[in-house]
Amino acid sequence: MKKLIFSTLSVALASSLFAGVSSSTNASGFYEISDSITTDTTLDSSKEYLLTNTVYVEGAVLTIPAGTVIRGRQGVRASDGLSNLQDPGSLVITKSGEINAVGTPASPIIFTYEFDADPVNNPTTPMTQDANRTLNTGFWGGIIILGNAPTNNDESGFNSLKTPGTDSIEGIAEPNPDDVSPDLRGMYGGQDPHDSSGIMKYVSIRNGGFKIGADNEINGLTMGGVGDGTVLEYIEVIAGQDDGFEWFGGTVNSKYLLSAYNNDDSFDYDQGFCGQGQFWATVQCDNDVDGDKGGEFDGDDQAGALPRAVPAIYNMTVIGGKNGQIDYDKDAGGYLYNSISVDATTVMDINTSSAAMQAAGLLKIDNNVWCADSSDASGGTAVFEGTLPSGANNVTANPYMGGAAYLNLSTLARDAQNGVTWKPSQVPAVVSNLAPYTGNFFTAVTYKGAFSPVATAWTAGWTVGSQLGYFVE
């Protein structure tokens, strides 16, 4: 648990003025958040806020009510590409901070860029609506959550501030041990697997991922050493310049995550991540330019590091993937069950080190549906690179996403009206031969993939694709 320090003075001030939050609006009508938040702070959903730089939550809880809109200042890159003329706005929950952001389907919490005209009623499209269909991305930073849960990273030989099991998060300058007072706010990792960084529900993170350096963009939601006391459910990352969700170690569990039209991997884990996930969904861009993989699953930065990355993922749906759909590498293990993969020729790549994890029983891929071509009644020909998955009951079949509208995936653009059909049909490949659900976290369901064949999709109403009419739900 976080250790928070309260004082009578901070409580008295909390109702009128919070450290880091301006008390009056700027010329655009936004309340600027420019400094670290160091006392418990509750925002007001009737106001709109602007993160003017990297804002840290330290030793405090940031509470964001349902319906609140928070914008990030739009970054400006120098013409030489080597520096920033204007750093982007971002939010960082440090190891001593917490976030309490609980929206609703009718009133999600929205994080977007500074100049988004009407994010509540008319969201920015993920791609430009012209012949180029260019991704609308990289306008601000993103959200970073840092915790005290274990990682398998060890760079202590290169930086004495990075004790074994800790690291500094990408997107923030690494602390310098030669400084008199090194800035450790970007550090993560520890020995508490049950650490809590707070709660996020019904949160939409849009059009972020500003490039802060060469090959260094901020993910939509970055998690470093986040513990399983944290609650993450119903979170959307859309049109980001880098990954949708990325885990660096940690044990946090999550349900109902949507990664849509992001420019790199949809879901990415590394450094011994050992959490549990269920109902993860992704749709990748289909403009032949943007996007990468549905899942980039790595185990470590130092070969053989412990703890191993062995997360359990049930009920994942992957649509598209320019460079393949799921890749296991760098000693990555894990468990992938009851999932559906649609419309990418290369379904999976298990590299040499992860093949050894599979042989050791630490990588299990069972009871999944592969459909390389949604227009083919048989599901097309799925290609597996590297070592084949050795699990049971993996089938090549067409799950007929959208039922009678299943051809939408092959005939319509993914940013067109009704272009993404999430719900599979009740065909045998979808509703039979399911892997059993174990433990207390997973919800036992009778279908594969992230969506029920018969119920309204959990994306309905609050996600950008739903509002714009792209999703058949």
Side-chain angles (χ1 to χ4, degrees):
M1 297 294 291
K2 308 292 183 187
K3 295 181 179 179
L4 303 180
I5 301 175
F6 302 94
S7 68
T8 303
L9 178 60
S10 68
V11 173
L13 289 174
S15 62
S16 58
L17 180 65
F18 296 110
V21 183
S22 64
S23 57
S24 58
T25 63
N26 63 13
S28 300
F30 307 143
Y31 290 84
E32 295 187 352
I33 307 177
S34 303
D35 300 316
S36 292
I37 294 174
T38 56
T39 61
D40 284 4
T41 298
T42 300
L43 303 183
D44 183 340
S45 63
S46 68
K47 301 175 180 178
E48 290 197 30
Y49 297 89
L50 177 67
L51 303 167
T52 63
N53 49 39
T54 300
V55 173
Y56 296 89
V57 178
E58 307 175 64
V61 178
L62 173 62
T63 298
I64 306 173
T68 303
V69 176
I70 301 176
R71 300 167 183 266
R73 174 149 288 167
Q74 190 154 337
V76 179
R77 195 81 173 142
S79 59
D80 60 9
L82 300 177
S83 60
N84 294 337
L85 300 177
Q86 169 66 58
D87 288 334
S90 295
L91 180 65
V92 180
I93 311 301
T94 68
K95 292 174 67 172
S96 65
E98 291 190 27
I99 185 170
N100 179 12
V102 181
T104 68
S107 298
I109 294 165
I110 297 171
F111 286 86
T112 188
Y113 63 101
E114 183 174 4
F115 302 113
D116 197 351
D118 186 5
V120 174
N121 300 302
N122 188 24
T124 297
T125 58
M127 289 184 274
T128 57
Q129 300 299 287
D130 55 25
N132 294 324
R133 298 175 67 222
T134 303
L135 201 60
N136 285 317
T137 189
F139 299 147
W140 66 289
I143 301 175
I144 298 173
I145 304 177
L146 307 175
N148 297 284
T151 82
N152 64 18
N153 189 66
D154 185 358
E155 297 181 19
S156 57
F158 303 96
N159 187 326
S160 60
L161 296 174
K162 294 185 177 184
T163 57
T166 70
D167 199 358
S168 58
I169 201 69
E170 64 179 27
I172 297 177
E174 183 173 314
N176 186 347
D178 294 330
D179 289 346
V180 175
S181 299
D183 188 345
L184 302 178
R185 292 177 295 179
M187 295 293 291
Y188 64 91
Q191 300 300 318
D192 184 2
H194 308 305
D195 185 44
S196 175
S197 295
I199 180 172
M200 294 177 69
K201 284 188 175 184
Y202 290 105
V203 175
S204 179
I205 304 168
R206 308 174 180 178
N207 308 98
F210 182 80
K211 179 176 284 191
I212 59 175
D215 298 318
N216 191 3
E217 300 89 11
I218 301 173
N219 303 302
L221 180 59
T222 303
M223 294 153 281
V226 178
D228 65 15
T230 309
V231 177
L232 302 175
E233 296 182 358
Y234 300 101
I235 302 173
E236 165 189 50
V237 177
I238 183 167
Q241 179 64 22
D242 201 22
D243 299 330
F245 298 85
E246 184 161 10
W247 294 260
F248 293 91
T251 55
V252 65
N253 304 322
S254 57
K255 285 181 177 177
Y256 307 107
L257 303 185
L258 174 64
S259 179
Y261 313 100
N262 292 301
N263 194 30
D264 200 354
D265 305 313
S266 301
F267 303 99
D268 190 333
Y269 65 71
D270 197 355
Q271 293 189 351
F273 172 59
C274 290
Q276 300 174 102
Q278 188 177 21
F279 309 123
W280 292 3
T282 180
V283 54
Q284 288 254 328
C285 296
D286 59 348
N287 59 4
D288 297 323
V289 175
D290 300 303
D292 195 354
K293 299 180 178 68
E296 176 70 27
F297 298 154
D298 294 333
D300 49 48
D301 291 335
Q302 299 90 31
L306 298 175
R308 297 291 200 182
V310 285
I313 302 168
Y314 280 77
N315 296 97
M316 185 176 180
T317 292
V318 181
I319 298 177
K322 184 180 70 173
N323 294 316
Q325 291 193 311
I326 298 176
D327 183 274
Y328 289 95
D329 199 2
K330 297 181 179 179
D331 299 306
Y335 308 96
L336 180 65
Y337 299 139
N338 300 346
S339 295
I340 294 176
S341 164
V342 176
D343 283 343
T345 301
T346 301
V347 171
M348 186 169 291
D349 186 355
I350 300 176
N351 293 288
T352 302
S353 59
S354 289
M357 294 288 284
Q358 181 172 246
L362 296 176
L363 175 60
K364 296 183 179 181
I365 301 165
D366 297 343
N367 304 79
N368 302 295
V369 179
W370 320 123
C371 178
D373 182 358
S374 61
S375 68
D376 187 325
S378 68
T381 302
V383 174
F384 297 86
E385 296 184 352
T387 301
L388 289 172
S390 60
N393 297 315
N394 294 309
V395 298
T396 296
N398 195 326
Y400 293 102
M401 308 283 279
Y406 79 94
L407 287 175
N408 287 22
L409 283 177
S410 58
T411 60
L412 299 178
R414 293 179 191 150
D415 61 337
Q417 294 293 301
N418 301 320
V420 177
T421 50
W422 285 123
K423 296 163 58 175
S425 298
Q426 290 182 288
V427 294
V430 171
V431 298
S432 63
N433 291 323
L434 274 74
Y437 296 89
T438 60
N440 298 319
F441 172 75
F442 297 107
T443 301
V445 294
T446 56
Y447 54 86
K448 297 170 187 172
F451 300 93
S452 165
V454 296
T456 300
W458 49 263
T459 53
W462 65 278
T463 63
V464 171
S466 179
Q467 286 185 269
L468 295 176
Y470 298 169
F471 299 165
V472 177
E473 298 163 314

